Amino acid sequence: METHTSSFSSPRAYLRALSHTPTRFVRRAISVSTSYEEMSRVRSGSDMRKTLSWYDLVGFGIGGMVGAGVFVTTGRATRLLAGPAVVISYAIAGLCALLSAFCYTEFAVDMPVAGGAFSYLRVTFGEFAAFLAGANLIMDYVMSNAAVARGFTAYFGTVIGISSAKWRLTVPHLPNGFNEIDIVAVAVVLLITVVICYSTRESSVMNMILTVLHILFIAFIIVIGFSRGSWKNFTEPANPENASGFFPYGASGVFNGAAMVYLSYIGYDAVSTLAEEVRNPMKDIPIGVSGSVIIVTVLYCLMATSMSKLLPYDMIDTEAPFSAAFSGKSDRWVSRVIGVGASFGILTSLLVAMLGQARYMCVIGRSSVVPPWFAKVHPKTNTPVNASAFLGIFTAALALFTDLDVLLNLVSIGTLFVFYMVANAVIYRRYVAIGTTKPWPTLSFLCSFSFTSIMFTLIWKFVPNGSAKAGLLSACGVVAIAILQIFYCMVPQARKPEFWGVPLMPWIPSTSIFLNVFLLGSLDGPSYVRFGFFSAVTVLVYLLYSVHASYDAEVDGSIGQKSREMHVESKQENEEDQSFKV
């Protein structure tokens, strides 16, 4: 009986495996799994315990989203991109997040596993697309958590009356953006890492307590802003030489701001990764995911309005906008109260996001495209301790020296890309049943609709204002709607969700595709350079390690079904290995 030699058993075996990279890539890249396989995939250690209800998910969603967004990104989005119209930026980003949340919910109810977007794309577009999305999401989580941890330092400094600059050590020989050492941010990340390793149930209790306190502070901020602010700040800058009006940076600034603050909504994605630990997925997940997005969007818009009333947009602090709004006034106590509230919010945001990133890594470890060591679930705590500890240390290392500006843009582009992929996946899964329906009509629709969305975005961004631009945009809109209507009328759905499905299919996920593409087009050039570089590194890792580890797992029977072709290739490779030895 032939036995398969691991691709990593020796240098010669690895070199032989590399020579088969094209064959293995073709085989594994588009290999899809089923919902059953994702839910029954071999675990490493114990299963995660089902202890969460819908109110836990709502709490995690609110805690995960509110802290990061308003208290870290709002100052930059208002001062540099949107001005007072940041309120509309939050509404646009919230709508985009809600539509994406519907797509996530359909997958999570049907397939309650901890893999989130990685698992959803794996059962539709295959292993390579899932790995690319999973790697981007994990990096997004790590970077956003590092950014949020550094934001905690700024707000905590206002609580005790010490500027964040005094907490950070400047290293003169390092480049700008990487030369301010933040020890407080590192300590916070490591402390939360210990908490999430201990227990998910206790993490939920801690999150609930912090979130309730945080909501009270949010209500305080909203009341203070509306009672003490002035509506004239919505239209009049402090410096008359700066642009005035509610839209000082124009419509493009509103959408640029929406792309930046979209980081604020990454928390609902983390909620979907907790599906494996939910008692009643069919009821709890839709309420937890969509409900938390709606609540948070309302809170964001109210808080952004409050902040814009307090100060003209060109006086808003980019790091700690709310607390800094009172730092120079006699009622400095208000600034410190806001700083306490923001600190609670940032802690809950970190807690939820770090729970999410560890569960992504755990499920990716189960699929064998990263070392199975990451999939280890501790038998006593029932948490993915290895993934939690590794990513916690990685996050702490980034938070130590990397500035917010470097982190936030790359996070936004990666998140938008993954949400765009999930919206495509939910349409594909509804209209294509492998082996019974042809995929080409659906793939043609997805490609043509995405192309039309890209053309609309490019025209919006690069064509000068005028009648020609309006005509081109209208033409793109008409074409997009026509493509959507033709697909809706001519292609029947191949699958109906058993428990919960996205309503108005395919209109809602198609709108999500359009909005994600449009927000992607609002980001700056350097963001795409960084995204391209990281994606290239991800592809390289897949070709040098993941595809071979995945192939080994398939041959060993750990994933998928062994077929005759697999045995033939395995036999040929073993014969080549024998000739190597001879």
Side-chain angles (χ1 to χ4, degrees):
M1 180 178 177
E2 296 287 352
T3 58
H4 172 69
T5 303
S6 169
S7 301
F8 307 98
S9 60
S10 68
R12 285 194 175 190
Y14 181 62
L15 290 175
R16 175 179 52 77
L18 287 180
S19 69
H20 287 275
T21 298
T23 303
R24 294 183 175 187
F25 178 81
V26 171
R27 179 180 188 83
R28 294 301 311 160
I30 59 174
S31 63
V32 297
S33 62
T34 65
S35 298
Y36 175 78
E37 288 173 344
E38 289 296 319
M39 294 173 64
S40 61
R41 193 172 302 283
V42 176
R43 268 57 168 171
S44 176
S46 304
D47 287 339
M48 297 184 204
R49 190 176 298 137
K50 295 183 181 295
T51 59
L52 304 178
S53 299
W54 66 267
Y55 50 83
D56 293 297
L57 297 184
V58 171
F60 274 127
I62 295 173
M65 287 183 273
V66 173
V70 169
F71 296 117
V72 177
T73 63
T74 306
R76 278 175 166 74
T78 305
R79 180 79 176 262
L80 307 176
L81 298 175
V86 72
V87 178
I88 300 178
S89 297
Y90 269 113
I92 293 171
L95 174 62
C96 192
L98 182 61
L99 299 181
S100 294
F102 285 153
C103 300
Y104 267 80
T105 300
E106 178 169 326
F107 276 113
V109 171
D110 179 61
M111 191 169 52
V113 295
F118 174 81
S119 294
Y120 309 156
L121 293 177
R122 187 177 170 82
V123 300
T124 49
F125 297 138
E127 182 178 275
F128 177 70
F131 181 74
L132 185 62
N136 268 289
L137 266 179
I138 288 175
M139 202 63 190
D140 291 348
Y141 272 115
V142 169
M143 289 187 176
S144 65
N145 290 339
V148 171
R150 289 179 72 90
F152 175 85
T153 304
Y155 274 100
F156 188 68
T158 65
V159 175
I160 60 176
I162 300 177
S163 170
S164 61
K166 296 182 179 180
W167 291 82
R168 295 170 181 162
L169 306 175
T170 301
V171 180
H173 300 295
L174 293 176
N176 289 335
F178 302 92
N179 60 345
E180 292 187 353
I181 306 301
D182 194 330
I183 303 297
V184 175
V186 173
V188 169
V189 170
L190 294 180
L191 177 62
I192 292 179
T193 299
V194 173
V195 172
I196 66 173
C197 285
Y198 179 69
S199 169
T200 303
R201 178 70 255 173
E202 277 67 25
S203 297
S204 177
V205 172
M206 177 181 176
N207 174 73
M208 281 292 188
I209 295 171
L210 291 175
T211 298
V212 169
L213 292 172
H214 183 40
I215 293 297
L216 293 176
F217 281 107
I218 287 176
F220 174 78
I221 291 170
I222 293 171
V223 170
I224 288 289
F226 274 86
S227 62
R228 299 194 178 189
S230 172
W231 289 111
K232 72 175 184 178
N233 291 330
F234 271 80
T235 56
E236 298 178 12
N239 185 348
E241 295 182 1
N242 292 331
S244 61
F246 184 65
F247 298 94
Y249 298 101
S252 60
V254 174
F255 288 103
N256 290 340
M260 174 172 282
V261 302
Y262 203 63
L263 163 66
S264 314
Y265 295 93
I266 197 174
Y268 82 81
D269 174 70
V271 173
S272 73
T273 67
L274 298 171
E276 197 170 306
E277 298 159 85
V278 175
R279 294 194 187 104
N280 186 356
M282 281 71 76
K283 182 191 77 172
D284 296 338
I285 293 175
I287 296 174
V289 177
S290 301
S292 59
V293 171
I294 294 171
I295 293 171
V296 166
T297 301
V298 173
L299 290 175
Y300 278 158
C301 291
L302 288 174
M303 292 190 72
T305 303
S306 171
M307 184 186 65
S308 295
K309 281 194 69 178
L310 283 171
L311 286 175
Y313 78 91
D314 55 349
M315 288 183 63
I316 292 174
D317 186 88
T318 56
E319 284 205 0
F322 288 97
S323 60
F326 292 93
S327 60
K329 299 183 178 182
S330 58
D331 49 0
R332 192 181 297 268
W333 65 272
V334 177
S335 174
R336 297 194 177 183
V337 170
I338 292 173
V340 172
S343 299
F344 282 134
I346 289 173
L347 288 176
T348 60
S349 177
L350 275 174
L351 177 67
V352 176
M354 291 178 69
L355 280 168
Q357 71 183 19
R359 278 143 186 81
Y360 265 119
M361 183 62 85
C362 175
V363 173
I364 294 174
R366 292 176 187 169
S367 67
S368 300
V369 290
V370 298
W373 180 83
F374 289 109
K376 176 71 175 178
V377 175
H378 197 277
K380 292 184 178 179
T381 64
N382 298 103
T383 59
V385 288
N386 292 349
S388 300
F390 174 82
L391 292 176
I393 293 171
F394 188 20
T395 302
L398 276 180
L400 179 64
F401 61 86
T402 311
D403 189 63
L404 283 171
D405 285 333
V406 177
L407 295 168
L408 292 181
N409 283 342
L410 184 56
V411 170
S412 295
I413 192 171
T415 303
L416 286 166
F417 168 73
V418 173
F419 292 170
Y420 161 80
M421 291 292 291
V422 171
N424 280 273
V426 77
I427 295 176
Y428 186 86
R429 186 166 168 79
R430 280 279 199 104
Y431 286 87
V432 177
I434 298 175
T436 59
T437 58
K438 294 182 179 179
W440 302 115
T442 303
L443 288 175
S444 298
F445 161 70
L446 293 175
C447 291
S448 58
F449 189 82
S450 292
F451 177 77
T452 307
S453 301
I454 292 170
M455 291 303 299
F456 184 97
T457 303
L458 293 176
I459 292 169
W460 174 275
K461 189 166 187 177
F462 295 111
V463 175
N465 291 329
S467 58
K469 179 176 183 177
L472 289 172
L473 291 175
S474 299
C476 281
V478 169
V479 170
I481 293 173
I483 291 172
L484 184 52
Q485 182 64 32
I486 291 171
F487 177 74
Y488 174 74
C489 294
M490 297 188 64
V491 182
Q493 293 187 35
R495 178 187 287 106
K496 295 287 186 180
E498 185 178 356
F499 302 108
W500 193 95
V502 177
L504 301 176
M505 178 66 72
W507 295 90
I508 283 182
S510 296
T511 305
S512 178
I513 290 172
F514 174 81
L515 288 174
N516 280 302
V517 169
F518 192 74
L519 291 179
L520 279 168
S522 300
L523 296 172
D524 57 15
S527 297
Y528 282 91
V529 173
R530 298 185 193 113
F531 177 73
F533 173 77
F534 178 70
S535 295
V537 171
T538 301
V539 172
L540 191 63
V541 170
Y542 184 80
L543 294 176
L544 294 180
Y545 174 82
S546 301
V547 72
H548 306 294
S550 174
Y551 176 80
D552 289 346
E554 182 183 9
V555 172
D556 294 337
S558 300
I559 57 177
Q561 298 292 325
K562 290 193 278 187
S563 66
R564 177 176 294 183
E565 294 175 3
M566 181 180 65
H567 284 301
V568 169
E569 184 185 351
S570 178
K571 183 176 181 179
Q572 290 174 346
E573 291 182 12
N574 276 285
E575 288 174 353
E576 291 173 17
D577 191 57
Q578 292 297 324
S579 63
F580 246 152
K581 294 177 181 178
V582 173

